Amino acid sequence: MARATVLGRLTWRVATVAAVRDETQNARTIVLDLPDWPGHLAGQHVDVRLTAPDGYSTERSYSIASAPEGNRLELTVDLLPDGEVSPYLARVLSAGDPLEIRGPIGGWFVWRPERPEPVQLIAGGSGVVPLMAMIRTREAGGARAPFRLLYSTRGPEAAFYRDELRRSSENGSGLSVTYAYTREVPQDWERPPGRVDAGLLAQAAWAPEREPISFVCGPTGFVENVADLLVSAGHDPARIRTERFGPSGGQP
Amino acid sequence: MTEDHIDGNAAGGALRDIFTVDLTAAVGRCSSCSQSLALAEARLYTQAPGLVARCPGCEEVVFRLVRGPGRAWLDMRGVTCVQFELPTGS
């Protein structure tokens, strides 16, 4: 559990890369050690700042993928080919390197383990990252709220955390996972490739009568489409929380 | 529908650089259309000088934040009556 809210301004601090591991062909997880990390809530993000030798600096927000665990923090970064920051994080950065971080940030798009109501997670592409932090936090704390994840990716190869999600959904803890593939589907897959639509939502998501809280994260167009579908299906807009990653499906 | 915006949530770090409490969950009222919104729900445009947050209901500017070296300009003219959650013990 995160320690109490930290008071005072947030300032930049230097993390050390403990390890990196590939998630997909284009995405990898960066494990960071941060002395005096105050803990975080599932769904929060950090800002990462890169500074060039000539002094030019730029910053981006990245969702935290891990459950709170001491001074360890994991980010999963998706490579955007014309990005300014992600190519360095996803290709160059390696164990032992320093990385400037500001965080944890955000009190809105967060899930707290003491919440009892069912949770509907809906991810588009790398939007699964903060939702994974919620799944991991739930599992780490033995929380009881039933979770459903609807995860839309281009195809099976593009999905993050596939093995872990399979294990977590098979261990009887009350997590169910449904994949929606937009471009390529595995053999014998019932549903043709396509976007999340009202039919799939009706099949895979909690019914509005269960009064779930929904967290939707992904590219801007995906998030707005899914939020509209949820409202049309009868979900209370006040129980839908969204986080948009921008038009390209990630933070550059 | 344009897709050139993200969420007010992404301005959380820049705001926490100035304020001692989280502003993403702070709820304000749009001074144009009177809709209540958490600042995380604002539409954030980052392709401007600084950050421009607009009301998801009426698209009017709710706040603008511009950073310079050792300096910040914050214009919150579009949001009134901001309500903060204060940490326990405050």
Side-chain angles (χ1 to χ4, degrees):
Chain A
M1 194 54 223
R3 278 166 247 167
T5 316
V6 187
L7 284 178
R9 290 175 53 217
L10 273 188
T11 48
W12 292 98
R13 54 173 101 199
V14 179
T16 306
V17 178
V20 293
R21 60 170 188 267
D22 290 337
E23 295 288 351
T24 66
Q25 205 176 347
N26 283 326
R28 69 178 189 176
T29 289
I30 299 164
V31 183
L32 297 170
D33 275 328
L34 266 160
D36 307 323
W37 181 245
H40 61 272
L41 299 168
Q44 286 188 304
H45 66 273
V46 295
D47 290 343
V48 172
R49 180 164 71 180
L50 300 183
T51 304
D54 66 0
Y56 169 76
S57 81
T58 185
E59 55 194 68
R60 294 288 184 279
S61 302
Y62 286 98
S63 293
I64 299 169
S66 50
E69 186 200 350
N71 293 327
R72 274 272 151 113
L73 190 68
E74 295 186 7
L75 312 176
T76 302
V77 177
D78 203 13
L79 175 75
L80 298 174
D82 49 358
E84 193 178 35
V85 171
S86 67
Y88 175 78
L89 298 181
R91 290 280 186 264
V92 181
L93 194 72
S94 50
D97 287 346
L99 190 66
E100 263 196 308
I101 297 280
R102 179 173 64 190
I105 297 158
W108 175 250
F109 194 82
V110 297
W111 177 76
R112 292 177 168 84
E114 59 272 20
R115 298 290 299 250
E117 67 271 77
V119 174
Q120 181 64 55
L121 307 173
I122 306 181
S126 58
V128 74
V129 176
L131 309 185
M132 194 65 190
M134 296 177 189
I135 289 169
R136 287 167 166 167
T137 297
R138 172 182 181 272
E139 199 153 356
R144 306 292 289 273
F147 266 40
R148 287 185 180 182
L149 168 66
L150 176 56
Y151 185 6
S152 172
T153 65
R154 288 160 179 258
E157 298 303 310
F160 297 1
Y161 322 123
R162 178 170 286 274
D163 293 345
E164 185 180 347
L165 283 170
R166 192 182 58 247
R167 284 195 303 272
S168 297
S169 61
E170 287 172 354
N171 66 9
S173 69
L175 166 74
S176 78
V177 180
T178 304
Y179 289 95
Y181 298 122
T182 57
R183 306 259 177 98
E184 296 162 31
V185 296
Q187 276 195 319
D188 306 327
W189 194 253
E190 289 172 11
R191 195 172 176 270
R195 294 177 164 207
V196 172
D197 58 18
L200 181 61
L201 214 54
Q203 190 190 326
W206 296 108
E209 298 72 49
R210 291 293 305 270
E211 298 189 336
I213 182 163
S214 300
F215 293 93
V216 186
C217 186
T220 300
F222 172 87
V223 167
E224 296 189 349
N225 178 49
V226 167
D228 288 347
L229 289 172
L230 286 169
V231 173
S232 302
H235 290 268
D236 177 358
R239 300 178 69 80
I240 303 167
R241 302 225 163 168
T242 57
E243 183 161 76
R244 296 163 180 84
F245 274 6
S248 49
Q251 296 123 317
Chain B
M1 187 179 69
T2 59
E3 288 192 12
D4 55 351
H5 61 276
I6 49 178
D7 286 290
N9 214 17
L15 290 165
R16 275 297 316 272
D17 207 12
I18 303 168
F19 292 86
T20 59
V21 290
D22 170 61
L23 258 75
T24 61
V27 175
R29 182 171 295 152
C30 170
S31 55
S32 300
C33 72
S34 299
Q35 174 179 336
S36 282
L37 67 147
L39 295 190
E41 292 180 295
R43 293 182 171 183
L44 191 74
Y45 294 83
T46 57
Q47 310 301 328
L51 303 170
V52 178
R54 292 178 174 271
C55 173
C58 72
E59 292 274 324
E60 280 299 323
V61 173
V62 286
F63 71 85
R64 291 186 293 195
L65 176 61
V66 178
R67 284 297 306 264
R71 189 165 302 213
W73 292 267
L74 177 64
D75 169 1
M76 293 188 75
R77 73 176 73 189
V79 61
T80 55
C81 197
V82 183
Q83 173 187 304
F84 301 89
E85 291 288 324
L86 295 175
T88 42
S90 314

